[in-house]
Amino acid sequence: MKEFAPNHIENLIAKYLVDEASSEEIRELQDWCAQSSDNQRHLDEAQLIFQKAQISEKDKFDTDAAWAKVRPQLTLDNKSSGFGIGFWGKIAAAFVLFTALSYLFYDQVSSKQEFSYLSQDQPSQVILPDQTQIALLPHSEAKVIWNTKSKTGKILLSGEATFSMDSQSDTQWLVETENLRVEDIGTVFHVVSLSERDSVEVSVLEGAVRFYSESDPGIALEAGQKGIYSKSAKQFLKGDFQSNEFAFHTKTFDFSGESLQSVVDLLSKVYQTEIQLSGPISTCQITVRFDREELETALSILAETMGLTLTSTEKGYLLNGEACY
């Protein structure tokens, strides 16, 4: 991606707004805007400032004060250059605008806050200043870029996490992972983005999101829906929603005809505790719901329901049985 110096960009914007930019400079500015939505927003704000100023050749514009600051740096002579007062009026206006935009750019940059969170062997819960919650699963990382001035935030995710956006927050959040984007529309959603998988998954528990990329408009997802992006096929699809994906966040589990092995695997993952099975019971099926139960309570329910014995071990728990009950 081409790098653009901030001062160079502000110069391009000023020339563009007073219709003095060459076709090459206009293309360069367009390329810069295409790199991110923040860049396009910056140009839009500059255009709004310029429009509100309502500067034209008919205006009584005092160019002397502004032009005095830039005249010593130029070698052109106004009388012999062939340019009229309209041209110099535009340049003076551009200079004033450049100063305003430079301040705006500095103000935006100084308003940015950056945070970095890394979850290693244990899941971690993060609460941002605007009360947005991030439940990071083990071996996941979230980098947060938050602009308090523009009320926008970006979360760069590597791994797996559940996001809960406070409905009272006025920050517009965007989650980015592997060149994909999830735009929040006041919601609770879960993202699985693991480098070893061919897919990136987004499940929505509450509200709605837009799941897309820079080159693909993607899909809209509402509560109870799941979106899947196939990296190999480069395609967005809708899949089967699984509420248990939010178990790290809700501590609520719904199992319907699940094998005992898959049940204890998920419980072990969420509670970060080893759970072993002994005997020919791993394929036994069970339908059960746990709503914020302590792990030992949930395992006791499994043992009683399926006729198993539950014992504690040095690392966690053991469920033992001779057959499906």
Side-chain angles (χ1 to χ4, degrees):
M1 181 181 294
K2 182 178 179 181
E3 295 290 334
F4 294 90
N7 287 344
H8 177 60
I9 288 300
E10 300 303 344
N11 271 313
L12 287 180
I13 292 176
K15 294 177 71 175
Y16 172 75
L17 294 179
V18 297
D19 296 323
E20 297 296 338
S22 67
S23 57
E24 182 178 347
E25 288 171 328
I26 292 174
R27 283 195 299 270
E28 189 175 5
L29 184 59
Q30 290 172 338
D31 290 341
W32 178 75
C33 288
Q35 286 188 354
S36 74
S37 58
D38 289 341
N39 292 353
Q40 182 63 56
R41 187 182 301 112
H42 186 65
L43 176 60
D44 293 341
E45 290 174 349
Q47 289 178 306
L48 181 61
I49 291 173
F50 192 68
Q51 290 168 1
K52 287 186 176 180
Q54 295 181 342
I55 299 173
S56 70
E57 293 185 10
K58 295 181 180 179
D59 290 329
K60 293 181 179 180
F61 188 82
D62 182 8
T63 63
D64 292 340
W67 186 240
K69 297 182 181 181
V70 294
R71 183 190 295 272
Q73 302 177 40
L74 301 177
T75 57
L76 289 174
D77 179 37
N78 190 22
K79 294 181 179 180
S80 61
S81 65
F83 294 116
I85 187 63
F87 174 81
W88 295 119
K90 286 183 178 181
I91 294 299
F95 173 79
V96 174
L97 181 64
F98 172 77
T99 302
L101 292 178
S102 297
Y103 172 78
L104 177 63
F105 180 81
Y106 174 78
D107 188 43
Q108 290 291 325
V109 171
S110 63
S111 300
K112 285 186 177 179
Q113 300 182 36
E114 296 189 12
F115 313 92
S116 184
Y117 305 98
L118 177 63
S119 179
Q120 298 186 6
D121 295 333
Q122 298 289 329
S124 61
Q125 184 83 8
V126 175
I127 301 180
L128 300 181
D130 74 333
Q131 300 306 304
T132 289
Q133 297 181 38
I134 307 175
L136 277 174
L137 273 68
H139 311 295
S140 299
E141 183 177 10
K143 294 182 179 180
V144 180
I145 304 172
W146 185 27
N147 193 313
T148 56
K149 186 74 174 181
S150 63
K151 304 297 184 182
T152 58
K154 184 183 296 182
I155 302 173
L156 308 179
L157 173 68
S158 174
E160 187 173 357
T162 296
F163 301 89
S164 180
M165 310 304 186
D166 190 334
S167 59
Q168 302 302 314
S169 173
D170 54 4
T171 300
Q172 180 63 56
W173 287 102
L174 185 71
V175 176
E176 291 192 1
T177 181
E178 300 190 51
N179 297 318
L180 300 172
R181 299 169 183 175
V182 184
E183 182 180 353
D184 165 60
I185 312 177
T187 184
V188 177
F189 59 96
H190 184 80
V191 180
V192 182
S193 178
L194 304 175
S195 58
E196 63 270 21
R197 290 193 185 182
D198 180 58
S199 63
V200 174
E201 302 176 358
V202 177
S203 299
V204 182
L205 183 64
E206 298 175 10
V209 303
R210 188 163 68 94
F211 185 26
Y212 65 104
S213 69
E214 187 172 349
S215 60
D216 192 316
I219 54 179
L221 300 170
E222 299 180 349
Q225 293 184 328
K226 178 178 183 176
I228 301 171
Y229 177 77
S230 171
K231 301 176 188 177
S232 58
K234 297 183 179 180
Q235 185 177 11
F236 289 91
L237 304 167
K238 289 189 178 181
D240 295 329
F241 175 82
Q242 299 290 332
S243 62
N244 285 338
E245 292 180 348
F246 295 88
F248 272 93
H249 176 70
T250 64
K251 292 298 188 295
T252 298
F253 304 82
D254 275 300
F255 301 107
S256 178
E258 299 280 348
S259 70
L260 182 59
Q261 186 66 63
S262 63
V263 170
V264 299
D265 283 348
L266 183 57
L267 291 174
S268 177
K269 182 179 179 181
V270 171
Y271 289 98
Q272 291 294 291
T273 302
E274 182 178 280
I275 305 171
Q276 296 179 316
L277 297 179
S278 178
I281 59 174
S282 61
T283 58
C284 295
Q285 295 185 339
I286 186 170
T287 297
V288 67
R289 174 184 170 85
F290 301 124
D291 190 0
R292 298 185 179 276
E293 305 284 359
E294 295 292 337
L295 177 58
E296 187 168 349
T297 301
L299 293 176
S300 296
I301 293 173
L302 286 177
E304 182 177 351
T305 303
M306 306 183 72
L308 309 175
T309 58
L310 174 66
T311 55
S312 297
T313 66
E314 291 184 0
K315 295 183 178 180
Y317 296 92
L318 171 67
L319 283 169
N320 180 62
E322 297 301 323
C324 300
Y325 187 71

